[in-house]
Amino acid sequence: MAEPDRRARLAILISGRGSNMEALVRAARTNPGFPAEPVIVVSNRADAAGLAVAGALGVPTAVVSSRGRSREAFEEVLDACLRAHAAEVIALAGFMRILTPGFVGRWPGRILNIHPSLLPKYPGLDTHARALAAGDSEAGATVHLVTDQLDGGPILAQARVPVLPGDTEARLAARVLEAEHRLYPEALAAYLADRRAVADTLRRS
Ligand code: GRF
């Protein structure tokens, strides 16, 4: 990512539906100033619905199966796939595998994730159910850098939505997801736009 005017080569990792991946690809396609170009969508599951979505958008796809492989073996193949596509930055988008410190260390400051809660509240799973059970008046999503800490890396941006009377988990999830689709492209663009911020964030983490 040396020349600031060149679009960074973006790999997007998914495991399922891929709606955040689609939001990133559409942002890159519709905004000529978007600082990243999706070059590969990788899924660890062959049945991820997002693979067809990426294909329809004309983004190359790959399946790196995590089944029947050790974590290390899986990450070796994943790393090779990303390097074969000359990826420079990686966006996790509903990617349901925890990456080891070894893998994360090979991509310092280059892996982003989107998480459906206002971190540091509710790392891990079932975020919307937990927000409802706690009686929270607001919920939201966070884009953060991936480090060794699960859902614990430096926060880059957050989007807030209200929790409304009568909300179910599904209704709240849908409201948060809509906010995610705006947040992820914005947060990625802002992060890449200021390469000095990348270096500074890394120094602090
Ligand atoms: C999103 O809620 C995201 O925050 C979380 O997993 C979900 C993925 O949804 N990490 P999609 O596959 O992007 O539609």
Side-chain angles (χ1 to χ4, degrees), residues 16-21 93-96 113-116 128 177 180-181:
R17 180 177 56 186
S19 69
N20 279 288
M21 172 275 298
F95 182 66
M96 300 303 287
N113 183 41
I114 187 157
H115 181 77
H128 305 307
L177 191 65
E180 290 184 44
H181 296 161

PDB file of all heavy atoms in Angstrom, residues 16-21 93-96 113-116 128 177 180-181, ligand 1:
ATOM      1  N   GLY A  16     -20.937 -16.911   4.918  1.00  0.00           N
ATOM      2  CA  GLY A  16     -22.374 -17.109   4.731  1.00  0.00           C
ATOM      3  C   GLY A  16     -22.987 -16.181   3.717  1.00  0.00           C
ATOM      4  O   GLY A  16     -22.534 -16.096   2.578  1.00  0.00           O
ATOM      5  N   ARG A  17     -24.001 -15.453   4.190  1.00  0.00           N
ATOM      6  CA  ARG A  17     -24.849 -14.609   3.339  1.00  0.00           C
ATOM      7  C   ARG A  17     -24.086 -13.578   2.501  1.00  0.00           C
ATOM      8  O   ARG A  17     -24.400 -13.321   1.351  1.00  0.00           O
ATOM      9  CB  ARG A  17     -25.818 -13.915   4.305  1.00  0.00           C
ATOM     10  CG  ARG A  17     -26.805 -12.988   3.754  1.00  0.00           C
ATOM     11  CD  ARG A  17     -27.681 -12.511   4.899  1.00  0.00           C
ATOM     12  NE  ARG A  17     -26.891 -11.910   5.988  1.00  0.00           N
ATOM     13  CZ  ARG A  17     -27.389 -11.520   7.138  1.00  0.00           C
ATOM     14  NH1 ARG A  17     -28.672 -11.672   7.389  1.00  0.00           N
ATOM     15  NH2 ARG A  17     -26.619 -10.980   8.055  1.00  0.00           N
ATOM     16  N   GLY A  18     -23.117 -12.915   3.112  1.00  0.00           N
ATOM     17  CA  GLY A  18     -22.259 -11.999   2.353  1.00  0.00           C
ATOM     18  C   GLY A  18     -22.851 -10.634   2.049  1.00  0.00           C
ATOM     19  O   GLY A  18     -22.413  -9.955   1.117  1.00  0.00           O
ATOM     20  N   SER A  19     -23.798 -10.181   2.872  1.00  0.00           N
ATOM     21  CA  SER A  19     -24.388  -8.870   2.549  1.00  0.00           C
ATOM     22  C   SER A  19     -23.405  -7.730   2.805  1.00  0.00           C
ATOM     23  O   SER A  19     -23.432  -6.715   2.100  1.00  0.00           O
ATOM     24  CB  SER A  19     -25.701  -8.650   3.311  1.00  0.00           C
ATOM     25  OG  SER A  19     -25.475  -8.485   4.684  1.00  0.00           O
ATOM     26  N   ASN A  20     -22.530  -7.861   3.786  1.00  0.00           N
ATOM     27  CA  ASN A  20     -21.513  -6.823   3.994  1.00  0.00           C
ATOM     28  C   ASN A  20     -20.468  -6.848   2.884  1.00  0.00           C
ATOM     29  O   ASN A  20     -19.973  -5.797   2.464  1.00  0.00           O
ATOM     30  CB  ASN A  20     -20.853  -6.980   5.369  1.00  0.00           C
ATOM     31  CG  ASN A  20     -21.707  -6.380   6.469  1.00  0.00           C
ATOM     32  OD1 ASN A  20     -21.816  -5.157   6.572  1.00  0.00           O
ATOM     33  ND2 ASN A  20     -22.329  -7.231   7.262  1.00  0.00           N
ATOM     34  N   MET A  21     -20.131  -8.036   2.421  1.00  0.00           N
ATOM     35  CA  MET A  21     -19.235  -8.151   1.263  1.00  0.00           C
ATOM     36  C   MET A  21     -19.850  -7.417   0.079  1.00  0.00           C
ATOM     37  O   MET A  21     -19.184  -6.635  -0.616  1.00  0.00           O
ATOM     38  CB  MET A  21     -19.024  -9.643   0.955  1.00  0.00           C
ATOM     39  CG  MET A  21     -18.274  -9.953  -0.323  1.00  0.00           C
ATOM     40  SD  MET A  21     -19.320 -10.002  -1.795  1.00  0.00           S
ATOM     41  CE  MET A  21     -20.419 -11.357  -1.398  1.00  0.00           C
ATOM     42  N   ALA A  93     -16.027 -10.369   6.721  1.00  0.00           N
ATOM     43  CA  ALA A  93     -17.429  -9.971   6.571  1.00  0.00           C
ATOM     44  C   ALA A  93     -18.301 -11.197   6.848  1.00  0.00           C
ATOM     45  O   ALA A  93     -18.636 -11.941   5.939  1.00  0.00           O
ATOM     46  CB  ALA A  93     -17.679  -9.408   5.176  1.00  0.00           C
ATOM     47  N   GLY A  94     -18.590 -11.404   8.131  1.00  0.00           N
ATOM     48  CA  GLY A  94     -19.326 -12.603   8.496  1.00  0.00           C
ATOM     49  C   GLY A  94     -18.481 -13.847   8.327  1.00  0.00           C
ATOM     50  O   GLY A  94     -18.986 -14.918   7.986  1.00  0.00           O
ATOM     51  N   PHE A  95     -17.185 -13.704   8.581  1.00  0.00           N
ATOM     52  CA  PHE A  95     -16.252 -14.835   8.468  1.00  0.00           C
ATOM     53  C   PHE A  95     -16.182 -15.497   9.845  1.00  0.00           C
ATOM     54  O   PHE A  95     -15.773 -14.867  10.818  1.00  0.00           O
ATOM     55  CB  PHE A  95     -14.880 -14.315   8.043  1.00  0.00           C
ATOM     56  CG  PHE A  95     -13.844 -15.386   7.847  1.00  0.00           C
ATOM     57  CD1 PHE A  95     -13.974 -16.320   6.836  1.00  0.00           C
ATOM     58  CD2 PHE A  95     -12.723 -15.436   8.666  1.00  0.00           C
ATOM     59  CE1 PHE A  95     -13.013 -17.306   6.650  1.00  0.00           C
ATOM     60  CE2 PHE A  95     -11.757 -16.411   8.486  1.00  0.00           C
ATOM     61  CZ  PHE A  95     -11.904 -17.348   7.472  1.00  0.00           C
ATOM     62  N   MET A  96     -16.637 -16.753   9.899  1.00  0.00           N
ATOM     63  CA  MET A  96     -16.888 -17.370  11.201  1.00  0.00           C
ATOM     64  C   MET A  96     -15.742 -18.247  11.709  1.00  0.00           C
ATOM     65  O   MET A  96     -15.967 -19.225  12.415  1.00  0.00           O
ATOM     66  CB  MET A  96     -18.193 -18.199  11.133  1.00  0.00           C
ATOM     67  CG  MET A  96     -19.412 -17.373  10.787  1.00  0.00           C
ATOM     68  SD  MET A  96     -19.699 -15.999  11.938  1.00  0.00           S
ATOM     69  CE  MET A  96     -20.285 -16.897  13.368  1.00  0.00           C
ATOM     70  N   ASN A 113     -12.527  -6.094  10.670  1.00  0.00           N
ATOM     71  CA  ASN A 113     -13.707  -6.920  10.902  1.00  0.00           C
ATOM     72  C   ASN A 113     -14.891  -6.020  11.207  1.00  0.00           C
ATOM     73  O   ASN A 113     -14.716  -4.914  11.716  1.00  0.00           O
ATOM     74  CB  ASN A 113     -13.469  -7.863  12.087  1.00  0.00           C
ATOM     75  CG  ASN A 113     -14.643  -8.798  12.335  1.00  0.00           C
ATOM     76  OD1 ASN A 113     -15.249  -9.325  11.391  1.00  0.00           O
ATOM     77  ND2 ASN A 113     -15.008  -8.993  13.593  1.00  0.00           N
ATOM     78  N   ILE A 114     -16.084  -6.500  10.900  1.00  0.00           N
ATOM     79  CA  ILE A 114     -17.284  -5.801  11.344  1.00  0.00           C
ATOM     80  C   ILE A 114     -18.021  -6.698  12.325  1.00  0.00           C
ATOM     81  O   ILE A 114     -18.172  -7.907  12.092  1.00  0.00           O
ATOM     82  CB  ILE A 114     -18.194  -5.362  10.179  1.00  0.00           C
ATOM     83  CG1 ILE A 114     -19.330  -4.481  10.726  1.00  0.00           C
ATOM     84  CG2 ILE A 114     -18.707  -6.531   9.357  1.00  0.00           C
ATOM     85  CD1 ILE A 114     -19.954  -3.563   9.694  1.00  0.00           C
ATOM     86  N   HIS A 115     -18.422  -6.101  13.440  1.00  0.00           N
ATOM     87  CA  HIS A 115     -19.041  -6.869  14.523  1.00  0.00           C
ATOM     88  C   HIS A 115     -20.369  -6.201  14.883  1.00  0.00           C
ATOM     89  O   HIS A 115     -20.429  -4.982  15.026  1.00  0.00           O
ATOM     90  CB  HIS A 115     -18.097  -6.886  15.734  1.00  0.00           C
ATOM     91  CG  HIS A 115     -18.648  -7.670  16.879  1.00  0.00           C
ATOM     92  ND1 HIS A 115     -18.629  -9.047  16.897  1.00  0.00           N
ATOM     93  CD2 HIS A 115     -19.265  -7.280  18.017  1.00  0.00           C
ATOM     94  CE1 HIS A 115     -19.198  -9.468  18.021  1.00  0.00           C
ATOM     95  NE2 HIS A 115     -19.597  -8.414  18.716  1.00  0.00           N
ATOM     96  N   PRO A 116     -21.434  -7.004  15.066  1.00  0.00           N
ATOM     97  CA  PRO A 116     -22.752  -6.406  15.264  1.00  0.00           C
ATOM     98  C   PRO A 116     -23.062  -6.026  16.715  1.00  0.00           C
ATOM     99  O   PRO A 116     -24.068  -6.445  17.286  1.00  0.00           O
ATOM    100  CB  PRO A 116     -23.697  -7.503  14.756  1.00  0.00           C
ATOM    101  CG  PRO A 116     -22.973  -8.764  15.059  1.00  0.00           C
ATOM    102  CD  PRO A 116     -21.511  -8.471  14.915  1.00  0.00           C
ATOM    103  N   HIS A 128     -27.351  -9.422  19.583  1.00  0.00           N
ATOM    104  CA  HIS A 128     -28.649  -8.728  19.648  1.00  0.00           C
ATOM    105  C   HIS A 128     -29.492  -9.273  20.799  1.00  0.00           C
ATOM    106  O   HIS A 128     -30.148  -8.511  21.509  1.00  0.00           O
ATOM    107  CB  HIS A 128     -29.382  -8.855  18.317  1.00  0.00           C
ATOM    108  CG  HIS A 128     -28.556  -8.358  17.165  1.00  0.00           C
ATOM    109  ND1 HIS A 128     -27.980  -7.115  17.153  1.00  0.00           N
ATOM    110  CD2 HIS A 128     -28.180  -8.954  16.008  1.00  0.00           C
ATOM    111  CE1 HIS A 128     -27.296  -6.956  16.036  1.00  0.00           C
ATOM    112  NE2 HIS A 128     -27.389  -8.070  15.328  1.00  0.00           N
ATOM    113  N   LEU A 177     -28.050  -4.404  10.709  1.00  0.00           N
ATOM    114  CA  LEU A 177     -27.413  -4.825   9.451  1.00  0.00           C
ATOM    115  C   LEU A 177     -27.454  -3.699   8.413  1.00  0.00           C
ATOM    116  O   LEU A 177     -26.477  -3.469   7.691  1.00  0.00           O
ATOM    117  CB  LEU A 177     -28.101  -6.080   8.905  1.00  0.00           C
ATOM    118  CG  LEU A 177     -27.379  -6.766   7.740  1.00  0.00           C
ATOM    119  CD1 LEU A 177     -26.020  -7.320   8.173  1.00  0.00           C
ATOM    120  CD2 LEU A 177     -28.228  -7.903   7.168  1.00  0.00           C
ATOM    121  N   GLU A 180     -24.794  -1.490   9.222  1.00  0.00           N
ATOM    122  CA  GLU A 180     -23.495  -2.100   8.886  1.00  0.00           C
ATOM    123  C   GLU A 180     -23.130  -1.838   7.434  1.00  0.00           C
ATOM    124  O   GLU A 180     -21.982  -1.581   7.101  1.00  0.00           O
ATOM    125  CB  GLU A 180     -23.542  -3.615   9.120  1.00  0.00           C
ATOM    126  CG  GLU A 180     -23.607  -4.018  10.577  1.00  0.00           C
ATOM    127  CD  GLU A 180     -23.558  -5.527  10.744  1.00  0.00           C
ATOM    128  OE1 GLU A 180     -22.748  -6.193  10.075  1.00  0.00           O
ATOM    129  OE2 GLU A 180     -24.348  -6.063  11.550  1.00  0.00           O
ATOM    130  N   HIS A 181     -24.131  -1.924   6.565  1.00  0.00           N
ATOM    131  CA  HIS A 181     -23.854  -1.791   5.129  1.00  0.00           C
ATOM    132  C   HIS A 181     -23.363  -0.397   4.774  1.00  0.00           C
ATOM    133  O   HIS A 181     -22.644  -0.222   3.793  1.00  0.00           O
ATOM    134  CB  HIS A 181     -25.107  -2.149   4.317  1.00  0.00           C
ATOM    135  CG  HIS A 181     -25.506  -3.582   4.484  1.00  0.00           C
ATOM    136  ND1 HIS A 181     -26.757  -4.053   4.188  1.00  0.00           N
ATOM    137  CD2 HIS A 181     -24.807  -4.656   4.944  1.00  0.00           C
ATOM    138  CE1 HIS A 181     -26.814  -5.357   4.439  1.00  0.00           C
ATOM    139  NE2 HIS A 181     -25.633  -5.742   4.898  1.00  0.00           N
TER     140      HIS A 181
HETATM  141  C1  GRF B   1     -22.942  -9.325  10.256  1.00  0.00           C
HETATM  142  O1  GRF B   1     -23.914  -9.011  11.212  1.00  0.00           O
HETATM  143  C2  GRF B   1     -21.572  -9.014  10.772  1.00  0.00           C
HETATM  144  O2  GRF B   1     -21.525  -7.922  11.639  1.00  0.00           O
HETATM  145  C3  GRF B   1     -21.190 -10.272  11.529  1.00  0.00           C
HETATM  146  O3  GRF B   1     -21.761 -11.320  10.789  1.00  0.00           O
HETATM  147  C4  GRF B   1     -22.863 -10.836  10.025  1.00  0.00           C
HETATM  148  C5  GRF B   1     -22.565 -11.171   8.605  1.00  0.00           C
HETATM  149  O4  GRF B   1     -23.623 -10.894   7.736  1.00  0.00           O
HETATM  150  N1  GRF B   1     -19.776 -10.364  11.703  1.00  0.00           N
HETATM  151  P1  GRF B   1     -23.374 -10.918   6.173  1.00  0.00           P
HETATM  152  O5  GRF B   1     -22.817 -12.301   5.830  1.00  0.00           O
HETATM  153  O6  GRF B   1     -22.391  -9.833   5.850  1.00  0.00           O
HETATM  154  O7  GRF B   1     -24.704 -10.685   5.548  1.00  0.00           O
END
